Amino acid sequence: MVATLKDVARAAGVSVSTVSRVVRDAAYIDASTRQRVLDAIQALQYRPNSVARRLKYGRTYTIGFIIHDISNPFYGHVVIGAERHISSIESPEFDLFVLNTGRDSKKEKHAAEVMLDRRVEGIILASTAAPECLEAFREVAVQHGIPLVSIDNYLGGFEYAIVSADNHLGAYQLMRHLLQHGHSRIGILSGPDAESHARERVEGCRKALQEAGSSPEEIRVATGNWSVEDGYRISREWLEGERPPTAIFSGNNLMCMGALYALQERGLHVPRDIAVVSFDGVEFGTFLRPVLTTLWYDWERIGEEAARLVLEAVSGGNSCDQPVRQVRVPVQLVIGESCGCRLASRRGRGVGNKVLHQHEEGKGGVPLGEDN
């Protein structure tokens, strides 16, 4: 039989209201009384009725998280980071409610309605940035007053916060390194134009290309849905056309995987026949041969920062009360071999739980320092 508040109160020799105050971690309770109640809770295996408690206080203690593509490893790590931060908050305890929309704008718009129905207290959003979706979330933030934190994308002229990598700087650094190897015909695999982080990465590439004096006619930019399939399809089209690129810059890890498959299918060697670099490819890049040259940033920190901002807003802070407050997570260039560099050693040194390889100084690119 399930234990109740009355059972705990009887076992501890206190009133029901005292048990309720201990469960809520209220102040001004004698230490010995609190311990008797906690001992009774443990002995009876009492579990508070969270639904009843939330109805009583008119709150759900729930943060919503809408993801447009949960199959992308990036978002899995972002959720881990968000959940870790939320679970670290002892009082009050919040739950994370996750919805995946599969890059379907209708599902994303419906997800906004679901979050309202669930009475979530804040939302973390990885949006497709489709116009009808942005309007739905504008209504959530403006008319319903629910704090909103966006992952990577600008949403429009209303109050919210955004957490992203330093996309422009990272793409600039990665493209500049690629250009040091003398490439002039470069294909850029990008995400949808509607997504601001895709545009920022292309703009970072263009800045490096302009500084290097590259001819715009030799640079190709193609957009896809950040998927393996689109990376494969676009790369195959380039390779089958006239004057195929001598290097490919991929805007994310999944499109890079598709590009590498297209190259392998045609029997091309990386980097001898064609160089490849990728934004956020560390997750799999260190296991490739040749090792992938990529850009590292802490995916889980993206989730942690988003959760911190939304909880601050829910608790009455000012994280989301001004148009577009942005937190940028720093990026780091990771030199591999896929760009044409030669590594001095297969030994690595850690950055978090990732592996960076030492670059052989004097062979081009940016050395990462000495192995310890």
Side-chain angles (χ1 to χ4, degrees):
M1 186 174 179
V2 178
T4 66
L5 276 178
K6 290 183 179 180
D7 296 329
V8 175
R10 189 180 303 112
V14 298
S15 67
V16 171
S17 62
T18 298
V19 175
S20 178
R21 291 174 63 202
V22 171
V23 169
R24 290 186 287 111
D25 197 25
Y28 308 114
I29 297 177
D30 178 73
S32 61
T33 301
R34 183 186 298 274
Q35 191 58 53
R36 289 206 316 275
V37 172
L38 292 175
D39 290 343
I41 287 174
Q42 184 175 8
L44 296 173
Q45 297 183 335
Y46 169 73
R47 292 181 61 84
N49 187 331
S50 60
V51 174
R53 179 168 61 91
R54 292 173 180 186
L55 287 174
K56 179 178 179 180
Y57 294 102
R59 298 187 61 181
T60 63
Y61 297 98
T62 301
I63 300 299
F65 198 147
I66 299 174
I67 300 172
H68 64 60
D69 184 7
I70 204 167
S71 66
N72 187 330
F74 167 75
Y75 291 110
H77 284 275
V78 173
V79 170
I80 289 171
E83 193 279 331
R84 179 167 58 234
H85 182 81
I86 288 173
S87 63
S88 72
I89 307 300
E90 295 183 357
S91 180
E93 294 182 357
F94 280 82
D95 294 325
L96 189 65
F97 174 55
V98 180
L99 283 178
N100 175 52
T101 64
R103 300 198 67 87
D104 185 323
S105 59
K106 291 183 180 179
K107 289 183 179 180
E108 185 174 317
K109 186 177 179 181
H110 177 66
E113 299 172 358
V114 172
M115 293 299 177
L116 291 175
D117 291 341
R118 292 294 184 105
R119 298 175 63 191
V120 299
E121 298 194 29
I123 296 175
I124 302 171
L125 172 65
S127 175
T128 59
E132 62 271 25
C133 297
L134 298 187
E135 185 57 37
F137 288 106
R138 179 194 299 271
E139 179 180 336
V140 167
V142 176
Q143 296 186 19
H144 296 275
I146 297 177
L148 194 151
V149 178
S150 175
I151 302 295
D152 273 336
N153 279 319
Y154 292 102
L155 303 179
F158 60 95
E159 296 174 355
Y160 65 97
I162 177 172
V163 181
S164 70
D166 197 334
N167 292 296
H168 187 278
L169 175 63
Y172 168 78
Q173 291 178 340
L174 194 55
M175 179 59 77
R176 186 178 64 175
H177 175 75
L178 185 60
L179 291 168
Q180 290 176 357
H181 289 274
H183 294 285
S184 59
R185 297 200 312 274
I186 300 174
I188 300 174
L189 296 170
S190 181
D193 287 334
E195 298 182 17
S196 59
H197 65 297
R199 298 195 302 271
E200 288 177 342
R201 293 177 188 183
V202 172
E203 289 165 3
C205 288
R206 292 193 186 281
K207 179 182 177 182
L209 290 163
Q210 289 170 359
E211 289 182 356
S214 298
S215 172
E217 292 77 18
E218 297 288 353
I219 308 303
R220 308 174 190 182
V221 179
T223 61
N225 270 338
W226 299 120
S227 66
V228 175
E229 293 78 10
D230 282 349
Y232 169 77
R233 174 184 55 80
I234 295 167
S235 298
R236 186 172 177 178
E237 290 173 358
W238 284 341
L239 296 172
E240 292 174 350
E242 295 183 3
R243 293 177 61 78
T246 62
I248 292 177
F249 176 105
S250 179
N252 83 333
N253 55 347
L254 295 181
M255 296 187 86
C256 181
M257 291 173 65
L260 291 172
Y261 182 72
L263 298 177
Q264 183 184 51
E265 190 177 65
R266 293 182 67 87
L268 296 175
H269 181 274
V270 177
R272 185 181 62 232
D273 300 318
I274 184 169
V276 177
V277 299
S278 178
F279 212 98
D280 70 25
V282 173
E283 182 73 8
F284 73 99
T286 53
F287 297 100
L288 296 176
R289 293 297 179 268
V291 177
L292 186 67
T293 293
T294 184
L295 202 79
W296 179 84
Y297 60 100
D298 192 338
W299 294 354
E300 292 180 13
R301 184 178 168 188
I302 297 277
E304 291 173 351
E305 292 289 344
R308 177 182 64 81
L309 289 174
V310 78
L311 286 176
E312 283 181 3
V314 168
S315 301
N318 60 357
S319 297
C320 304
D321 69 349
Q322 52 186 313
V324 195
R325 175 186 174 184
Q326 183 159 17
V327 174
R328 289 192 182 276
V329 172
V331 296
Q332 183 168 357
L333 182 63
V334 181
I335 305 299
E337 300 163 313
S338 64
C339 57
C341 290
R342 288 194 302 158
L343 300 184
S345 171
R346 287 290 185 190
R347 293 182 296 120
R349 60 186 180 91
V351 173
N353 61 342
K354 311 299 181 185
V355 178
L356 302 185
H357 291 269
Q358 180 189 0
H359 173 254
E360 185 177 8
E361 195 165 0
K363 298 298 182 182
V366 183
L368 291 177
E370 298 296 325
D371 278 346
N372 295 321

